[in-house]
Amino acid sequence: MYKFLVKTVSTFFYVGYFPLIPGTAGSVAAVFLFFLIKNNPLTYLAALLTLLILGFLVSGAAEKIMRKTDPPCVVIDEVCGMLIGLLFLPYDIRLVIIAFLIFRILDTLKPYPISSFEKLKGGWGIMSDDIIAGLYTNLILQAVVSVTSLSAA
C-alpha cells in the first residue's frame, strides 16, 4: 500500500507515466488543476501547500522505490512549480499560457541557481529546482503585469 501511495502521489495520479515529456504532462496537469481552483484563493493556497508537503515527503521515497535518481515519472515537482508560477497573478488566459512556456523553459534549461538546487539529495533536489523555477516564472510575470496591460481582461 505504501508503494502504491508513493507512486500515485509522486506521479500525480500517474500523469508522470505519459510516454513522452512527462514533465510537460505534469505541468499541463497543474494547469488543469489551476482552472479548477483559481477562483478560490484559500483552496488554491491549501492545495499548493498540501502538494508541496506531499511532494517533499514522497519524492525522495519514490527515488528509493524506483531505484533511480530524480525519476522522470515523478512530476509532483512540476505540478507544484507550475502552481507557484501562477500564484497571485490576475486571471488571464494569456498569462496562463506565458507562465506555462516560461516555466517549461526554466525547468528545462535550469539557469543558475536552479541547477544548484537540483543537486540536493532526495526529495529536496527533486522539489527545489521546480519551486525556484516556479518562483522565477511568477516574479517575471508579476513584473510584466505591473508594467503592461496584459492582465486587463
Side-chain angles (χ1 to χ4, degrees), residues 11 13-26 68 71-75:
T11 64
F13 304 96
Y14 297 91
V15 168
Y17 287 109
F18 191 78
L20 299 172
I21 51 176
T24 299
K68 186 171 187 173
C73 64
V74 173
V75 296

Side-chain angles (χ1 to χ4, degrees), residues 135-147:
L135 288 171
Y136 277 15
T137 300
N138 192 281
L139 291 172
I140 291 166
L141 288 176
Q142 292 291 352
V144 166
V145 166
S146 73
V147 298

Side-chain angles (χ1 to χ4, degrees), residues 5 7 33-34 49 63 68-69 97 116 118 124 150 153:
L5 288 173
K7 285 183 178 182
L33 178 58
F34 167 78
L49 184 60
E63 277 188 330
K68 186 171 187 173
T69 304
I97 293 167
S116 58
E118 185 181 41
W124 289 99
L150 189 59

Side-chain angles (χ1 to χ4, degrees), residues 21-22 48 83 85 96 108 121 127 134-135 147:
I21 51 176
L48 177 57
L83 289 174
V96 174
T108 302
K121 298 282 184 209
M127 294 292 293
L135 288 171
V147 298

